[in-house]
Amino acid sequence: MGRMHTVLVAGGGVGGLACAHRLARRLPEGDRVVVFDHRPVHTFWPSLLWVMTGTRRSSDVARPFGTLRDARVEVVQTPVTAIDPKARTVQAGGQTWTGDALVVALGAALDPDGIPGLGVEPGNFYTTQGAEAVWTELQTLEQGRVVVAIPTTPFKCPAAPYEAAMLIDGYLRKRGRRARVSVELWAAEAAPMAVAGPGVSHAVEEALAHRDIAYHPSERLEAVAGDRRQLEFTGHPAVGYDLLAYVPPHRVPEVVASAGLAPEDGWVSVDRHTLETSHPGVYAIGDVVSIPLTMGKPLPKAGVFAFTEGEVVADRIVDQVGGRVSGVRFDGRGECFIEMGRGQAGFARGQFFAEPAPAVRVYRSGRHWHAAKLAFERQWWSQWW
Ligand SMILES: Cc1cc2nc3c(=O)[nH]c(=O)nc-3n(C[C@H](O)[C@H](O)[C@H](O)COP(=O)(O)OP(=O)(O)OC[C@H]3O[C@@H](n4cnc5c(N)ncnc54)[C@H](O)[C@@H]3O)c2cc1C
């Protein structure tokens, strides 16, 4: 029998679990797949939008790592405190682990304090507590102003804040409160989902306008005065709010920056087809990575890419430990549902490595895409639990 191998996967989110499960299915018996995550549960982040509008409870959108079906995926529930990419080691739980390959899948860290005053605001839709806080306030909101804010870019899931605004709109209409509550979207970016091209931006802008959601692009949030319930944007009088639902600023996890894998104000660079870093046998996938595109914007941070990248990296590692040259490549294909509220959704699919700009097709919205998203959520849990 040949030498046994160990693959370390730092992060048990979308990319990490996709990678680990494929490795567990394909590596020879005896090889180890060890996943590190500091949370006790894996959360299906897209469903937080439904926690925020009351059609899911927090317990519906997370499962404990301890109940994963595949016993070959070993999960160590502890923070990764250091990574040495040269030695391919991970420090976690007071131990040093050495891998034949190492996959960094630690996602994006959220930094609400990156904007003065924002961190004390409870309502965001990127954490379970944040989504619950929005839902608590939304149920009793009788009148006033809901502001959905995108203070910084990049952020994961370019569609999420636009979906959030439309889902909030739909909920308020259902409750018969929409005439007395305005819904507005204030964004640092110049257009919705611009990486997918002007067709997608235009379709999203039309969907917002159709729902009477005021859209304020290219606005820079400087500070939040929570005591006065006011947002301070550059060059504007203060914008008041009765309910704030925001995207927390994102940054690279500290452990990744201190490993020298990324600058503190940046992301990990990889070969866009192999996801390998500058260190042989060390890969990075998902939100922790930035892949520049010719059109000037990076590949979006999205689960669909994290998942495929995870599987590509798993296949490359299987080849690597088997002594084969791998031809498996990530090709930048991805797709995305866009929830629009009241049982409607849109869908877009594209080739993001197309030159000179991503080639994206937008499909006509309807109930069937919402049904497809529900089916996708069911499939997410049944594949591993
Ligand atoms: C509201 C919302 C809606 C979304 N909708 C969509 C959608 O419709 N389609 C889509 O494609 N994407 C969507 N996304 C984006 C998608 O969830 C992310 O892009 C995806 O989760 C990225 O996967 P990842 O593996 O890179 O990171 P994550 O899934 O965030 O996983 C990172 C993991 O690392 C762990 N971790 C971090 N630091 C440490 C540490 N120091 N030690 C140990 N563990 C650590 C975390 O606990 C986490 O489990 C949405 C996101 C949100 C928030």
Side-chain angles (χ1 to χ4, degrees):
M1 192 192 266
R3 183 174 77 81
M4 304 297 187
H5 299 96
T6 300
V7 182
L8 306 179
V9 181
V14 171
L17 282 194
C19 183
H21 280 88
R22 186 127 170 155
L23 284 165
R25 205 162 63 237
R26 295 206 50 211
L27 282 174
E29 205 64 35
D31 285 355
R32 291 180 73 186
V33 182
V34 185
V35 177
F36 302 88
D37 205 291
H38 57 184
R39 303 170 74 241
V41 293
H42 170 88
T43 299
F44 184 60
W45 304 112
S47 303
L48 282 192
L49 294 172
W50 294 330
V51 171
M52 183 193 74
T53 43
T55 52
R56 293 287 179 285
R57 287 161 305 169
S58 300
S59 54
D60 299 330
V61 308
R63 300 278 187 284
F65 285 113
T67 56
L68 279 170
R69 248 191 347 251
D70 190 338
R72 286 201 63 193
V73 175
E74 296 174 47
V75 181
V76 180
Q77 196 221 305
T78 188
V80 170
T81 49
I83 296 170
D84 180 344
K86 282 203 189 78
R88 285 198 299 271
T89 60
V90 158
Q91 280 185 32
Q95 271 190 61
T96 302
W97 303 71
T98 305
D100 295 281
L102 166 61
V103 184
V104 179
L106 293 170
L110 302 179
D111 182 21
D113 294 319
I115 303 274
L118 187 62
V120 295
E121 288 297 315
N124 74 73
F125 39 91
Y126 277 69
T127 63
T128 307
Q129 299 88 326
E132 283 171 350
V134 176
W135 173 231
T136 302
E137 287 195 46
L138 202 53
Q139 291 170 81
T140 53
L141 190 67
E142 296 299 326
Q143 57 186 7
R145 196 172 186 183
V146 175
V147 174
V148 176
I150 309 173
T152 54
T153 60
F155 55 90
K156 50 186 159 181
C157 189
Y162 300 94
E163 296 179 281
M166 289 190 273
L167 285 164
I168 289 172
D169 165 79
Y171 171 74
L172 290 169
R173 284 180 200 278
K174 198 171 110 199
R175 258 188 70 218
R177 299 297 186 280
R178 186 62 170 88
R180 282 186 273 153
V181 182
S182 70
V183 181
E184 302 172 21
L185 214 152
W186 289 71
E189 57 189 359
M193 303 172 73
V195 66
V200 174
S201 294
H202 185 65
V204 176
E205 279 169 357
E206 269 198 341
L208 296 174
H210 180 70
R211 289 161 179 77
D212 198 22
I213 298 170
Y215 181 46
H216 304 273
S218 304
E219 297 290 357
R220 216 173 84 83
L221 181 63
E222 289 183 350
V224 180
D227 49 343
R228 282 177 274 132
R229 303 211 130 198
Q230 286 183 340
L231 302 168
E232 292 164 14
F233 289 95
T234 308
H236 277 287
V239 172
Y241 61 86
D242 296 283
L243 197 168
L244 175 64
Y246 68 92
V247 179
H250 290 31
R251 61 170 172 74
V252 75
E254 211 175 295
V255 68
V256 176
S258 44
L261 282 166
E264 275 191 21
D265 58 350
W267 304 94
V268 182
S269 297
V270 290
D271 177 302
R272 74 177 189 170
H273 293 298
T274 67
L275 289 314
E276 199 163 19
T277 66
S278 54
H279 303 276
V282 179
Y283 301 84
I285 58 172
D287 291 350
V288 77
V289 160
S290 186
I291 298 178
L293 303 178
T294 311
M295 56 88 71
K297 294 186 183 299
L299 184 75
K301 297 193 183 303
V304 63
F305 298 124
F307 190 99
T308 315
E309 289 166 6
E311 293 203 329
V312 164
V313 164
D315 287 347
R316 293 192 67 86
I317 292 171
V318 170
D319 286 339
Q320 174 200 324
V321 301
R324 294 180 294 275
V325 174
S326 187
V328 184
R329 286 158 68 88
F330 174 57
D331 66 2
R333 278 175 213 279
E335 55 195 38
C336 149
F337 297 104
I338 306 165
E339 280 290 286
M340 295 176 144
R342 312 210 75 182
Q344 300 280 325
F347 183 73
R349 171 178 281 155
Q351 163 43 290
F352 283 76
F353 288 173
E355 299 289 353
V360 180
R361 178 169 171 202
V362 187
Y363 293 76
R364 189 209 275 267
S365 62
R367 296 199 161 271
H368 53 296
W369 293 123
H370 174 66
K373 179 146 189 178
L374 292 172
F376 183 71
E377 184 197 43
R378 282 195 296 279
Q379 190 257 331
W380 189 262
W381 296 119
S382 63
Q383 67 187 335
W384 296 325
W385 270 270

